[in-house]
Amino acid sequence: MASGNHSSITEFILLGLSADPQVQALLFALFLMIYLLTLLGNLLMILVIHTDSNLHTPMYFFLSHLSFQDLFYSSVTVPRMLENLLSQRKAISVKGCLAQVFFVFATTGIEACLLSVMAYDRYAAICHPLLYRQVMSKQLCLRLVWGSWVVAFLDALINILLALSLDFCEVQTIHHYSCELPSLFPLSCSDVSSNSAMLLCSVLLHAIGTCLLIFFSYARIVSTILSISSTTGRSKAFSTCSSHLTAVILFYGSAILRYLMPTSGSPLDLILSIQYSVITPLVNPLIYSLKNKEVKAALRKTMLKYLQCLRQHRREIA
């Protein structure tokens, strides 16, 4: 159906967040600030974890990979959004759009897998503290991280290979600020039933598969914590999980809704996408640093070292 249209359509138009030039200028300033803060926060988190020997534990190993993933995640969508906010013709090539679809899908999957792995790590630490070092060995941690990346990229590859066979109609407008797989289906003249079925399977794999791991991990964690007689012990155990739970709710609540609900180009679609692709990478370092005494202590130590080096450098110059 409409087989000739696929070759004639070479680009899509991303309508973005607003057509008002003044609003676009404000949005550019806002999202540029968010992006720079995201880069700064996640790079600082990676630096602190790798330089402070007290943070060389499985939990912070996973957290450093989550920060790296958030850098990658944010860089897939935000720079293109900033470019479109400044340009009058907000076009993206079909190949560029499909490439962005692939990386958005992959990074969303990686985030989901890493969050579930971190839940399992908390389960091992709280429910089996004496065996924690044996259970969460360095080799297992590496395998879990690499497994998260491999599963997510394979899943994204399968979906994008199916999307490559789609024929696109004359309608080129995407009611979004970036290319996401659900946004392409209404533009296709082809039968998208197989694509929709594969997308649903992928979402259920990540949503149900990773959510079940998180649910069962925290079910055991809560059961173990409630059996602790000491109030201080219960409070300390809960505090180690609060940051992760906050990150899980922020990410899963918006990402699952976005990929399961029909694409309508409504403000809700945009808000959900901004939540998991822009806001979550920004707030994750804040969540883990503000609620974690070890990270705050390591941050202070790193800043003091930096200030001492800066003072010493100034003295040498003087």
Side-chain angles (χ1 to χ4, degrees), residues 145-197:
V145 168
W146 280 112
S148 298
W149 282 77
V150 169
V151 167
F153 268 87
L154 282 176
D155 194 18
L157 183 62
I158 293 169
N159 279 274
I160 204 65
L161 288 175
L162 285 173
L164 288 172
S165 64
L166 292 176
D167 294 317
F168 296 104
C169 302
E170 294 302 325
V171 179
Q172 300 170 264
T173 304
I174 298 177
H175 297 271
H176 211 276
Y177 62 85
S178 68
C179 290
E180 295 187 2
L181 195 53
S183 302
L184 295 185
F185 294 162
L187 306 180
S188 177
C189 303
S190 309
D191 179 14
V192 296
S193 57
S194 59
N195 299 78
S196 299

Side-chain angles (χ1 to χ4, degrees), residues 251-273:
F251 175 76
Y252 275 90
S254 53
I256 292 174
L257 282 175
R258 171 68 182 104
Y259 278 87
L260 285 181
M261 65 188 295
T263 300
S264 59
S266 66
L268 181 59
D269 283 353
L270 296 173
I271 290 168
L272 291 173
S273 293

Side-chain angles (χ1 to χ4, degrees), residues 112-113 115-117 119 203-219 248 251-253 256:
C113 290
L115 287 172
S116 65
V117 165
V203 173
L204 292 178
L205 168 69
H206 286 299
I208 295 179
T210 57
C211 278
L212 279 176
L213 180 57
I214 292 170
F215 175 78
F216 284 119
S217 295
Y218 274 101
V248 166
F251 175 76
Y252 275 90
I256 292 174

Side-chain angles (χ1 to χ4, degrees), residues 185-245:
F185 294 162
L187 306 180
S188 177
C189 303
S190 309
D191 179 14
V192 296
S193 57
S194 59
N195 299 78
S196 299
M198 187 62 221
L199 176 62
L200 180 61
C201 289
S202 298
V203 173
L204 292 178
L205 168 69
H206 286 299
I208 295 179
T210 57
C211 278
L212 279 176
L213 180 57
I214 292 170
F215 175 78
F216 284 119
S217 295
Y218 274 101
R220 293 294 304 275
I221 287 169
V222 170
S223 175
T224 301
I225 290 174
L226 292 177
S227 67
I228 299 173
S229 57
S230 166
T231 306
T232 307
R234 284 201 300 268
S235 176
K236 185 178 180 181
F238 270 121
S239 68
T240 63
C241 301
S242 60
S243 299
H244 179 257
L245 272 175

Side-chain angles (χ1 to χ4, degrees), residues 2-215:
S3 60
N5 286 335
H6 183 69
S7 59
S8 63
I9 298 296
T10 58
E11 62 183 20
F12 296 120
I13 305 298
L14 294 169
L15 292 185
L17 301 173
S18 174
D20 187 331
Q22 291 183 332
V23 175
Q24 286 179 1
L26 290 173
L27 288 173
F28 176 83
L30 173 64
F31 283 105
L32 177 61
M33 185 184 301
I34 288 174
Y35 183 57
L36 292 176
L37 288 173
T38 300
L39 294 180
L40 177 63
N42 285 288
L43 283 172
L44 189 59
M45 185 67 73
I46 293 169
L47 175 67
V48 166
I49 290 171
H50 281 273
T51 55
D52 195 309
S53 58
N54 294 324
L55 302 183
H56 291 175
T57 63
M59 182 177 81
Y60 294 111
F61 172 76
F62 294 131
L63 181 54
S64 68
H65 280 273
L66 184 69
S67 292
F68 176 76
Q69 146 64 16
D70 283 337
L71 283 174
F72 185 27
Y73 201 178
S74 184
S75 297
V76 169
T77 54
V78 179
R80 184 74 204 192
M81 184 205 299
L82 294 174
E83 180 186 342
N84 281 353
L85 286 170
L86 289 180
S87 62
Q88 291 186 347
R89 192 167 185 276
K90 307 176 190 307
I92 183 171
S93 68
V94 172
K95 290 181 180 179
C97 186
L98 289 172
Q100 190 175 55
V101 166
F102 172 79
F103 285 111
V104 167
F105 203 96
T107 49
T108 304
I110 295 165
E111 187 98 0
C113 290
L114 284 177
L115 287 172
S116 65
V117 165
M118 292 171 78
Y120 177 74
D121 171 70
R122 291 299 81 212
Y123 155 75
I126 293 171
C127 299
H128 304 285
L130 298 178
L131 299 173
Y132 177 62
R133 290 287 183 179
Q134 290 176 290
V135 172
M136 300 304 293
S137 64
K138 187 175 181 180
Q139 286 185 337
L140 178 62
C141 291
L142 285 170
R143 286 172 185 167
L144 289 171
V145 168
W146 280 112
S148 298
W149 282 77
V150 169
V151 167
F153 268 87
L154 282 176
D155 194 18
L157 183 62
I158 293 169
N159 279 274
I160 204 65
L161 288 175
L162 285 173
L164 288 172
S165 64
L166 292 176
D167 294 317
F168 296 104
C169 302
E170 294 302 325
V171 179
Q172 300 170 264
T173 304
I174 298 177
H175 297 271
H176 211 276
Y177 62 85
S178 68
C179 290
E180 295 187 2
L181 195 53
S183 302
L184 295 185
F185 294 162
L187 306 180
S188 177
C189 303
S190 309
D191 179 14
V192 296
S193 57
S194 59
N195 299 78
S196 299
M198 187 62 221
L199 176 62
L200 180 61
C201 289
S202 298
V203 173
L204 292 178
L205 168 69
H206 286 299
I208 295 179
T210 57
C211 278
L212 279 176
L213 180 57
I214 292 170
F215 175 78

